[in-house]
Amino acid sequence: MATTAPTLSSLSRSSLPRLALHPPMAAASYSSSGSGARAYGSGDALSLQVQEPLDASLSSLEIIGDRRALLSRFESLRRPYKPFPLLGWNRHVETIFAAFFRSQPAVPLRRECLRTRDDGAVALDWVVGDDRQLPPDSPVLILLPGLTGGSDDSYVRHMLVRARSKGWHAVVFNSRGCANSPVTTPQQVIYSASFTEDLCQVVSHVSTRYPKSKIYAVGWSLGANILVRYLGQESQNCPLSGAVSLCNPFNLVIADEDFHKGFNNVYDKALARALREIFKKHELLFEGFGGEYNILMAANARSVREFDEGLTRVSFGFKSVDDYYFNSSSSSSIGCVCTPLLCIQAANDPIAPSRGIPREEIKENPNCLLIVTPQGGHLGWVAGDEAPFGAPWTDPVVMEFLEYINEENVQKTEAGQFDELDGSQQSPSSVSIHAQ
């Protein structure tokens, strides 16, 4: 996005060892305390839970999830989390520094406009040259920026570079009106934290374009909320092979409460300004709108809540803003997620409060894994080898997780193909014996 206004997504200027080849419910489960092994029955399956201590380098992180022991295999987590000096002491300093001073890698992109079922449009930005340089079965990574964010945001660019360096196709899903994508219908202008239909179409489109590839997704902030809601809605039928959620507000009611406290008002006003700028580019689409719409309020909104009251909640059929926030929260979707999901949060995130993280739901779902860093702000994470101006600390962790899951998925696919081949080779033999 090329506007000067900060965004919720960034407030920005612009062979792996496998744990198992069986379903997640039968996967090994690890605990960070104690040692030894315990066996548990789950239906007809027997699940072995191995308790072993995690590496000392992970001691600074809050980690929840049955498969948390796999993190000790990640090279990116060999050292304890340490924020960059002078920046990590304050969550607002880290958030703002990352938004305005993080480098923005130059990545050549090619835009594809995808027409939606309601005659709307979203913009997909693909890395130029991928089709010529990568094998057709290379995994594909879909990136979902946050509110008003897009392919110009620095954290998105860094992930594009990292995915491409690992031999992955990468594409940015720019929501309606973001990153100069066109708005052609007033019904669903800009965004909704609850609306997953566009993502459904994007995943379907990408899967059709790369039928031999495994598809994955990474979402930030509100994009993470939409991604997790999508995973929960699709549940066992989800075509994604894995996903990562970063700085997800999870509980939008709690996030809204904290958004109006103290310094957070600065973010609120900046986001409202960014929303107004997008809205004003397309305000003629709303000429003559009446009913519950309050176009004047949306056009002059001084807070995200005012914009949602005047436009968003009405467009998507909610009775009130609080009704919209409650029913759009992805925290209620965690229990239905059947896709491997890594969630990374910062304990001091001013926009995605730690108290809104659905820890119990994540703990109870064997498909989910949670990492909470002690610092990081909102999409800051100015730590690691590339700090302070390079990629966020999370990037190598995200790619190691996705590569691990992809290797696991490839092994499952190959095992399934071998079983099918073995069965087809035995069939003629059995028929022949029967005939004799």
Side-chain angles (χ1 to χ4, degrees):
M1 170 170 170
T3 61
T4 57
T7 69
L8 179 59
S9 55
S10 66
L11 301 175
S12 74
R13 64 190 174 194
S14 59
S15 48
L16 280 175
R18 58 180 177 177
L19 285 181
L21 283 179
H22 40 258
M25 286 301 293
S29 173
Y30 297 86
S31 170
S32 59
S33 60
S35 61
R38 292 180 294 174
Y40 293 87
S42 178
D44 295 329
L46 187 66
S47 177
L48 181 66
Q49 290 191 323
V50 182
Q51 292 186 329
E52 61 181 33
L54 290 176
D55 290 353
S57 60
L58 303 178
S59 61
S60 62
L61 308 175
E62 178 188 357
I63 302 174
I64 296 175
D66 276 1
R67 303 185 69 181
R68 54 191 177 272
L70 71 86
L71 298 177
S72 63
R73 295 168 164 83
F74 291 0
E75 187 65 31
S76 57
L77 294 175
R78 293 291 183 187
R79 290 179 291 177
Y81 181 88
K82 290 184 179 179
F84 192 80
L86 303 180
L87 297 177
W89 68 276
N90 182 281
R91 60 183 184 171
H92 301 300
V93 170
E94 190 167 9
T95 298
I96 294 172
F97 178 90
F100 290 99
F101 298 104
R102 175 168 282 149
S103 63
Q104 187 177 41
V107 182
L109 299 174
R110 177 182 57 80
R111 172 153 294 188
E112 176 187 12
C113 287
L114 180 64
R115 179 68 65 179
T116 60
R117 295 187 182 95
D118 64 340
D119 284 333
V122 297
L124 302 180
D125 288 339
W126 297 88
V127 177
V128 173
D130 272 5
D131 288 338
R132 298 190 305 271
Q133 300 170 13
L134 298 177
D137 61 347
S138 297
V140 184
L141 184 59
I142 302 173
L143 306 182
L144 288 78
L147 176 61
T148 76
S151 54
D152 282 342
D153 286 337
S154 61
Y155 65 91
V156 175
R157 291 297 183 102
H158 278 285
M159 184 56 71
L160 284 171
V161 170
R162 190 169 297 272
R164 185 61 183 80
S165 71
K166 298 296 183 179
W168 288 48
H169 295 285
V171 58
V172 183
F173 165 29
N174 298 292
S175 295
R176 306 184 190 204
C178 296
N180 294 316
S181 68
V183 173
T184 57
T185 59
Q187 187 61 30
Q188 275 117 25
V189 66
I190 303 177
Y191 84 104
S192 167
S194 66
F195 189 63
T196 59
E197 181 60 30
D198 284 353
L199 179 55
C200 284
Q201 285 194 244
V202 169
V203 172
S204 176
H205 175 74
V206 172
S207 299
T208 301
R209 178 170 174 171
Y210 294 99
K212 297 181 180 180
S213 300
K214 303 290 185 184
I215 313 298
Y216 300 83
V218 174
W220 292 268
S221 198
L222 199 71
N225 187 81
I226 294 171
L227 174 58
V228 172
R229 282 183 55 81
Y230 167 79
L231 296 174
Q233 288 175 4
E234 296 298 309
S235 195
Q236 295 180 353
N237 299 316
C238 184
L240 294 179
S241 297
V244 179
S245 161
L246 299 160
C247 282
N248 190 340
F250 279 117
N251 189 319
L252 300 184
V253 175
I254 291 177
D256 178 62
E257 290 175 358
D258 284 17
F259 214 33
H260 310 295
K261 297 177 180 177
F263 191 85
N264 282 6
N265 283 291
V266 172
Y267 308 131
D268 193 11
K269 291 178 180 179
L271 283 167
R273 183 170 64 252
L275 288 168
R276 291 197 311 270
E277 289 177 359
I278 295 175
F279 176 77
K280 288 179 179 178
K281 292 179 181 179
H282 311 284
E283 59 185 346
L284 290 179
L285 288 170
F286 299 90
E287 193 69 32
F289 267 49
E292 292 189 64
Y293 283 97
N294 191 330
I295 302 304
L296 187 62
M297 175 184 286
N300 296 283
R302 299 299 176 187
S303 67
V304 174
R305 186 181 179 89
E306 283 187 5
F307 188 88
D308 288 339
E309 172 61 44
L311 184 64
T312 312
R313 68 95 181 168
V314 184
S315 295
F316 292 90
F318 293 99
K319 297 178 181 178
S320 65
V321 174
D322 291 327
D323 178 44
Y324 163 54
Y325 291 156
F326 178 81
N327 287 290
S328 301
S329 298
S330 62
S331 55
S332 60
S333 301
I334 285 291
C336 299
V337 172
C338 295
T339 302
L341 171 65
L342 171 64
C343 303
I344 307 181
Q345 304 285 125
N348 67 346
D349 193 321
I351 295 174
S354 178
R355 65 191 180 99
I357 301 173
R359 288 174 170 81
E360 286 303 313
E361 290 81 354
I362 291 174
K363 182 179 180 180
E364 293 171 3
N365 188 333
N367 302 296
C368 299
L369 183 60
L370 170 68
I371 298 174
V372 183
T373 59
Q375 293 90 22
H378 189 69
L379 297 176
W381 284 306
V382 184
D385 294 338
E386 297 187 38
F389 300 107
W393 172 88
T394 49
D395 278 15
V397 181
V398 168
M399 281 311 303
E400 282 201 80
F401 173 80
L402 292 174
E403 288 188 293
Y404 184 94
I405 296 301
N406 185 61
E407 178 67 18
E408 201 171 53
N409 287 329
V410 169
Q411 291 171 348
K412 289 178 183 179
T413 300
E414 291 175 348
Q417 290 173 345
F418 177 81
D419 290 342
E420 291 178 5
L421 180 61
D422 187 52
S424 65
Q425 289 175 338
Q426 293 178 9
S427 295
S429 171
S430 62
V431 171
S432 175
I433 294 172
H434 178 73
Q436 289 176 354

